[in-house]
Amino acid sequence: GENVEQHPSTLSVQEGDSAVIKCTYSDSASNYFPWYKQELGKGPQLIIDIRSNVGEKKDQRIAVTLNKTAKHFSLHITETQPEDSAVYFCAATTRESTDYKLSFGAGTTVTVRA
Amino acid sequence: GAGVSQSPSNKVTEKGKDVELRCDPISGHTALYWYRQSLGQGLEFLIYFQGNSAPDKSGLPSDRFSAERTGGSVSTLTIQRTQQEDSAVYLCASRAFYGGVYEQYFGPGTRLTVT
């Protein structure tokens, strides 16, 4: 099955700086890579995703890059704000199946210092 | 509209007791997933329901775990003879099942503590 590794496990950044989280995956058939943000006491919420036919996707201060050859993908948050503090999870699945069971990384706890 | 809801939000139970966790998916979403989130860990897939098809139970950790989905909507995850290692947050997610849609919407979870 798919194995997703995520680094770092914790990340502390100064407000206004950038944050980068990296994930690797093992199954070359995986082709859909979502990122979730989980705030305290809440369920994970999708913030951005990328599919294997693109290498980069941006949405305001958030961007995700994908390197299929190396089997890794990254989340970039620019101009971090206190509300970006949360746990972030990467995930992977293959769209060829119809179940889209997600394999998750272990999560990164991001703390933005004011 | 309403999102995915789960109940109870917190459950404390004694070792050996049975527990039932409930998930109400988004109306119209035919795909439903259960995940388990242990402290400091990522989300672990447990079970998947899609319409009237047989569920994919491949992630259930033992035969003490079972789940059902009635009428293609509400789902119940049952853990029998709970053990301390069952303590975790149990998350439910639902997804609209039509081509090109992949996003899973998560509920707030049920925090289970087995004493």
Side-chain angles (χ1 to χ4, degrees), chain B residues 20-32:
Chain B
E20 286 190 352
L21 313 179
R22 177 187 169 106
C23 171
D24 284 87
I26 293 173
S27 178
H29 281 192
T30 58
L32 186 148

Side-chain angles (χ1 to χ4, degrees), chain A residues 4-6 87-90 104-108, chain B residues 40-43:
Chain A
V4 178
E5 295 191 354
Q6 183 172 348
V87 180
Y88 292 81
F89 293 96
C90 61
F104 284 87
T108 297
Chain B
Q41 302 295 316
L43 283 71

Side-chain angles (χ1 to χ4, degrees), chain A residues 40-102:
Chain A
L40 197 62
K42 298 183 179 180
Q45 181 178 16
L46 180 73
I47 55 173
I48 195 168
D49 57 16
I50 191 167
R51 304 172 191 181
S52 61
N53 57 342
V54 297
E56 183 176 1
K57 182 177 178 181
K58 290 183 180 180
D59 183 3
Q60 299 182 339
R61 297 186 296 108
I62 294 174
V64 57
T65 59
L66 171 65
N67 183 327
K68 285 220 73 179
T69 302
K71 290 192 282 189
H72 67 69
F73 55 113
S74 301
L75 178 72
H76 304 252
I77 307 173
T78 59
E79 301 173 20
T80 53
Q81 301 171 4
E83 55 263 36
D84 294 330
S85 294
V87 180
Y88 292 81
F89 293 96
C90 61
T93 190
T94 173
R95 289 183 291 137
E96 265 57 63
S97 68
T98 57
D99 56 21
Y100 305 119
K101 288 184 296 185
L102 294 170

Side-chain angles (χ1 to χ4, degrees), chain B residues 2 15 45 62 78:
Chain B
K15 177 182 174 182
F45 166 78
S62 77
T78 301

Side-chain angles (χ1 to χ4, degrees), chain B residues 6-85:
Chain B
Q6 292 185 245
S7 61
S9 56
N10 282 284
K11 177 71 176 179
V12 180
T13 190
E14 292 180 353
K15 177 182 174 182
K17 295 287 181 66
D18 298 351
V19 295
E20 286 190 352
L21 313 179
R22 177 187 169 106
C23 171
D24 284 87
I26 293 173
S27 178
H29 281 192
T30 58
L32 186 148
Y33 306 78
W34 283 97
Y35 294 89
R36 179 169 69 175
Q37 184 176 25
S38 301
L39 187 63
Q41 302 295 316
L43 283 71
E44 172 192 8
F45 166 78
L46 297 177
I47 189 168
Y48 164 69
F49 294 90
Q50 166 47 35
N52 295 320
S53 301
D56 177 350
K57 305 178 182 180
S58 60
L60 294 179
S62 77
D63 59 8
R64 295 186 296 104
F65 288 71
S66 63
E68 63 177 19
R69 190 176 185 191
T70 54
S73 181
V74 172
S75 177
T76 303
L77 177 69
T78 301
I79 309 174
Q80 296 178 310
R81 305 180 303 282
T82 52
Q83 304 295 312
Q84 288 187 332
E85 59 263 30

